Amino acid sequence: MKIKKALLSCMLLGSLTAFAQEEQPQAKTEYVPNPYWYVQVQGGAQYTLGEIDFGDLISPNVQVAIGRQFNPVFGLRLAVNAWQSRAGIDFDKYVYSVLANDGTKTDFVAPAGTTKWKWMYVAPGIDLTFNLSNLFCGYNPTRLFNFSVFVGGGVNIGWDFDKSKNVDDEHLLAQHYGHQIEAGIIPENIAYAWTGTKVRAFGRAGIAGDFRLSDQVSLGLEVNANTLSDRYNGKKAGNWDWYFNALAGVKINLGKTYTTRTIEAPKPQERIIEKTIERVIEKPCPEVKPATAQIAEKKAEPFRRDVFFTINSTNPNKEQLNKVKEVAEYLKSHPNAKVEVTGYADIGTGNPKINLSLSQRRAQTVTKLLVNQYKIAASRIKTDWKGDTVQPFVKEVENRVAICIAE
């Protein structure tokens, strides 16, 4: 058939190709924590809880410690706290009689006033330490200030109680040496006065703040509360005795606390845009012959859900549990589909061994939910884990994940 009219007389052959590149990503330097030892020397003051004036219960205090930081959050230290504790009582004037061992009875008048005493002690203990700054704000060894809490216990070894106390009242001496009190009122709260050397268990908790001067040196402030038996301060009160220490000092880290590693930026992907211009020719409309329409079957897209976890966690929250439920519903509605569950951990925290274990437990958690809770056959699930060797997302926090892909 004859061509009637040419609408386009020239034709452009070939393709125009354009390369669109995004901003060039940069390599990243990350901190890798190292376990390390440290020593700590502190000095300050102690307040022993009591009923007399606050200033009369303040005494000097020192502490030395050696510790081990196992990871950015958890550590252990052996701390030896020592020097002096104080106590005392206020009492009113009263008259009483004392019957000595030889049967002689003597009347005494006890004047009103304050009786104070002090004694020496040393208290070694072990504390578990928790760096809350790294726990909640992420690991950063160059952070200016770190806030920590600790809890522990040990033994308090006290001595010189009988030599140090300032007691010259006859009624106290009578009780101390076992004389019998015939009349009058004896302050019952001094019934636990002790002699010699006493060893008592104590519990301790406290808070600490460290100001970083360098990778090796920091200045620290610490406040701790210590509790032990009612007999510690010599007074009978019917409750545990307490003393509080406020300390300042220096902390020296031994060895390298961290190393650095460089993560190369991924190569940008090239996007190719092709455009073709063709010649358009008008022809008589050919006879249309009926043809059987064929519908190409569309290939189903894989079903994917990313189940995210918080730092150092293997338990998904409510929102993430809903994603596991969606995977189970997909598998139930597609009986021939299978799912691959792969666990990951972010490279910015922990170490390769810890992160491999974390990624394994995250993947296994999702698998157990699918099998045990939603009754998906284990043969339809493939479980894998990559640790921190693969980082599927750019943001570190998004790599604390188990990725589920079903098809």
Side-chain angles (χ1 to χ4, degrees):
M1 300 176 72
K2 186 177 179 181
I3 298 174
K4 292 185 177 180
K5 184 177 182 182
L7 298 178
L8 187 62
S9 60
C10 63
M11 179 176 123
L12 178 63
L13 301 175
S15 299
L16 302 176
T17 304
F19 297 92
Q21 285 186 325
E22 298 179 353
E23 183 181 353
Q24 200 72 309
Q26 302 295 320
K28 286 177 58 179
T29 299
E30 291 195 341
Y31 298 112
V32 181
N34 293 334
Y36 62 91
W37 292 92
Y38 64 86
V39 293
Q40 198 172 25
V41 179
Q42 299 166 293
Q46 178 183 114
Y47 170 70
T48 310
L49 190 64
E51 296 79 25
I52 63 174
D53 290 343
F54 180 86
D56 292 331
L57 297 173
I58 299 295
S59 53
N61 193 253
V62 295
Q63 182 169 283
V64 294
I66 182 169
R68 175 75 167 173
Q69 193 69 33
F70 298 106
N71 59 43
V73 176
F74 300 107
L76 189 71
R77 73 171 184 177
L78 170 63
V80 180
N81 184 266
W83 202 331
Q84 192 180 91
S85 291
R86 295 176 182 264
I89 57 171
D90 289 323
F91 54 89
D92 298 326
K93 174 183 177 181
Y94 59 90
V95 180
Y96 65 97
S97 299
V98 173
L99 181 64
N101 293 333
D102 60 2
T104 303
K105 181 184 292 186
T106 306
D107 292 331
F108 291 99
V109 177
T114 299
T115 297
K116 299 177 288 186
W117 56 90
K118 58 186 177 181
W119 64 99
M120 307 299 291
Y121 80 93
V122 61
I126 295 178
D127 298 319
L128 286 171
T129 63
F130 306 87
N131 187 316
L132 299 187
S133 296
N134 284 337
L135 177 62
F136 294 109
C137 302
Y139 176 62
N140 181 4
T142 63
R143 183 182 288 116
L144 178 62
F145 176 79
N146 281 280
F147 179 75
S148 303
V149 297
F150 58 88
V151 62
V155 293
N156 182 295
I157 306 167
W159 70 94
D160 272 357
F161 185 96
D162 52 336
K163 294 179 182 179
S164 298
K165 63 183 179 177
N166 178 21
V167 178
D168 55 8
D169 299 292
E170 291 84 350
H171 67 288
L172 292 181
L173 292 175
Q175 182 171 350
H176 181 67
Y177 290 109
H179 297 326
Q180 182 178 357
I181 306 301
E182 289 292 318
I185 303 172
I186 291 300
E188 187 179 355
N189 62 356
I190 61 168
Y192 289 160
W194 47 275
T195 60
T197 299
K198 298 294 183 181
V199 179
R200 301 177 176 91
F202 72 89
R204 174 168 59 205
I207 60 176
D210 290 309
F211 297 87
R212 178 181 179 274
L213 299 182
S214 68
D215 286 346
Q216 308 306 126
V217 181
S218 60
L219 298 179
L221 299 174
E222 175 180 327
V223 176
N224 60 61
N226 304 261
T227 185
L228 60 176
S229 81
D230 190 24
R231 295 180 177 269
Y232 179 65
N233 64 6
K235 301 191 310 179
K236 185 177 181 180
N239 52 259
W240 289 70
D241 288 339
W242 290 82
Y243 61 84
F244 305 87
N245 299 320
L247 302 163
V250 63
K251 178 180 177 182
I252 301 175
N253 300 325
L254 307 178
K256 286 188 175 182
T257 62
Y258 67 93
T259 55
T260 59
R261 62 182 171 190
T262 301
I263 299 178
E264 296 296 334
K267 294 182 179 180
Q269 294 183 348
E270 295 181 347
R271 294 185 298 176
I272 301 176
I273 303 173
E274 294 185 352
K275 186 176 180 181
T276 303
I277 299 176
E278 298 180 347
R279 180 175 64 178
V280 178
I281 301 176
E282 185 178 302
K283 294 183 178 181
C285 180
E287 182 182 357
V288 178
K289 296 181 179 181
T292 303
Q294 296 182 350
I295 301 175
E297 182 182 354
K298 292 184 178 180
K299 184 178 180 180
E301 292 292 329
F303 179 86
R304 169 172 171 164
R305 287 295 182 269
D306 301 333
V307 181
F308 294 101
F309 298 79
T310 58
I311 186 171
N312 201 34
S313 170
T314 59
N315 296 317
N317 61 28
K318 185 176 180 180
E319 179 183 355
Q320 305 306 315
L321 287 173
N322 287 334
K323 296 180 181 179
V324 180
K325 182 180 178 182
E326 292 174 1
V327 175
E329 291 174 347
Y330 177 88
L331 293 172
K332 289 179 180 179
S333 62
H334 298 77
N336 296 325
K338 295 185 178 182
V339 64
E340 182 172 348
V341 180
T342 309
Y344 300 86
D346 74 282
I347 201 169
T349 58
N351 56 52
K353 183 178 179 181
I354 292 174
N355 290 339
L356 183 63
S357 174
L358 267 176
S359 66
Q360 177 183 359
R361 287 183 287 149
R362 285 167 178 165
Q364 290 174 343
T365 295
V366 174
T367 298
K368 288 179 182 178
L369 286 170
L370 292 172
V371 173
N372 298 335
Q373 184 169 338
Y374 297 106
K375 309 305 179 185
I376 303 299
S379 60
R380 300 177 64 190
I381 306 171
K382 179 182 178 182
T383 307
D384 195 8
W385 50 90
K386 302 295 184 182
D388 59 13
T389 59
V390 177
Q391 299 289 277
F393 297 101
V394 175
K395 293 183 179 179
E396 290 180 1
V397 295
E398 294 180 350
N399 293 313
R400 305 162 190 159
V401 66
I403 297 178
C404 308
I405 300 178
E407 56 184 347

